[in-house]
Amino acid sequence: MFCGIDLGRSGCRLAVVDDRPLVVSSEGGASLIDAVDSEGAHSEVVTAALQAILTARDQLPAERRHPAGSLVCGVAGAGAEPELAAELATRLQAELPGTTVQVTSDLVITHAGALGGRSGSVANVGTGAEVIALSPGGELRQFGNWGPWLGDDGSGAWLGREALRRVLASREADYDLGPLVGAATERYGDLDRLHQTLATSGTPARSTAAFAGDVLRLAEDGEPGALEVTRSAADALASVLQRSGPGPYAITGGLSGHQVYLDEIAGALGQPVTNAEGTALDGALLLAGGTTTAPHLGLLIGAATRTPPESATS
């Protein structure tokens, strides 16, 4: 029997696999990232993470709540706080006698799931964008995740903002972008007040990202203006992917569902780009299953006294 856990602020998903797999979830989440901004509250952060896991575990049938075997838990912040990851592993292992518990960053299980345990680069593209790269030797690095002002190239916010800039420029120059202008007006209303609409939205990056789906749907229909913006966004993301390493490349996140975007990224890279093979929970199960030699294994932090790996960044 083996078990995988994907723990984040929004909730906890837990899967147990023996003769038949079973997945449960709970809404109560936690993150070790909280410890970075919580001076003196490290113990409370680990306790919150442990409680979130046990709450999800209690959704299992009674006979399956104590899995004997291997368990891998991915949690945000484990790479930045390896001592807390080791403490979480120790305390969780105490709750599950007979189970070997290892904790790692959520980035590690996301990457393992997306590329099936292979090295390469995974772009998580939604409102923002980040690329997680893992070398064959097990070095994990992040690229492009600098927020909407300095990074997030090719993200939903980037694509939506670029499309809106072109819409406004077309109005100033009195040329017609047709459906793109219509889509912007439908979503945001009076375009003469667009700057105010975005400024008062509370989260301008999220507001511009909302337009990305409209643009990509128009691009899928062959609309020239939308295709041009999509190609620019794909070029921007491809540049980050190329910096991250030679591939293979996989895309996950909200924009990965638009094939036109994947095709444009592949064209910019000159090599295939695929959707993620599996989820973060799939990645945790892969690493817990004992049948892989994935380079991710060196980034697992156990309850033993060994020094946690420094390269498991969060």
Side-chain angles (χ1 to χ4, degrees):
M1 181 183 294
F2 56 97
C3 179
I5 298 173
D6 176 17
L7 175 61
R9 284 197 178 107
S10 61
C12 180
R13 297 182 69 226
L14 182 152
V16 175
V17 177
D18 47 18
D19 56 332
R20 53 189 175 88
L22 180 61
V23 179
V24 296
S25 61
S26 65
E27 294 183 359
S31 166
L32 300 185
I33 288 177
D34 297 331
V36 177
D37 301 319
S38 303
E39 189 72 24
H42 288 191
S43 178
E44 289 85 346
V45 169
V46 174
T47 298
L50 178 64
Q51 187 56 53
I53 293 168
L54 295 179
T55 298
R57 187 275 310 263
D58 288 345
Q59 308 302 311
L60 292 167
E63 68 274 11
R64 303 183 78 180
R65 291 178 187 170
H66 297 278
S70 174
L71 182 154
V72 169
C73 172
V75 55
E81 296 287 343
E83 292 182 0
L84 295 188
E87 181 182 342
L88 177 59
T90 300
R91 293 177 61 180
L92 184 55
Q93 192 159 288
E95 294 281 346
L96 301 171
T99 301
T100 300
V101 176
Q102 294 176 298
V103 174
T104 190
S105 166
D106 59 333
L107 300 181
V108 173
I109 62 170
T110 295
H111 189 286
L115 283 174
R118 303 189 304 279
S119 60
S121 298
V122 176
N124 184 14
V125 191
T127 296
E130 67 174 339
V131 174
I132 312 162
L134 186 72
S135 72
E139 179 187 8
L140 187 74
R141 295 185 64 190
Q142 287 176 268
F143 295 80
N145 187 28
W146 299 110
W149 292 108
L150 299 175
D152 288 350
D153 294 353
S155 67
W158 192 103
L159 193 158
R161 183 181 68 246
E162 183 63 22
L164 290 171
R165 291 179 65 185
R166 297 187 187 199
V167 164
L168 294 178
S170 74
R171 285 161 54 84
E172 292 175 341
D174 294 324
Y175 64 88
D176 186 13
L177 278 179
L180 208 54
V181 176
T185 303
E186 182 176 349
R187 179 166 293 277
Y188 299 104
D190 184 1
L191 296 182
D192 288 332
R193 297 176 54 84
L194 179 60
H195 59 300
Q196 294 170 306
T197 300
L198 296 177
T200 58
S201 68
T203 52
R206 191 168 297 171
S207 296
T208 59
F211 192 44
D214 301 335
V215 176
L216 290 171
R217 282 186 287 273
L218 287 171
E220 287 163 350
D221 291 338
E223 203 286 313
L227 274 171
E228 185 179 345
V229 177
T230 299
R231 194 163 293 125
S232 294
D235 288 344
L237 182 58
S239 178
V240 181
L241 284 166
Q242 287 172 328
R243 292 202 304 273
S244 74
Y249 302 116
I251 310 293
T252 186
L255 299 194
S256 65
H258 295 274
Q259 188 60 46
V260 66
Y261 195 39
L262 298 185
D263 291 343
E264 290 296 340
I265 296 168
L269 288 168
Q271 66 183 91
V273 172
T274 64
N275 274 302
E277 293 182 18
T279 66
L281 187 58
D282 293 324
L285 288 172
L286 174 69
L287 300 178
T291 60
T292 182
T293 59
H296 310 71
L297 294 174
L299 302 176
L300 303 183
I301 301 168
T305 56
R306 69 181 181 84
T307 304
E310 295 180 357
S311 56
T313 57
S314 171

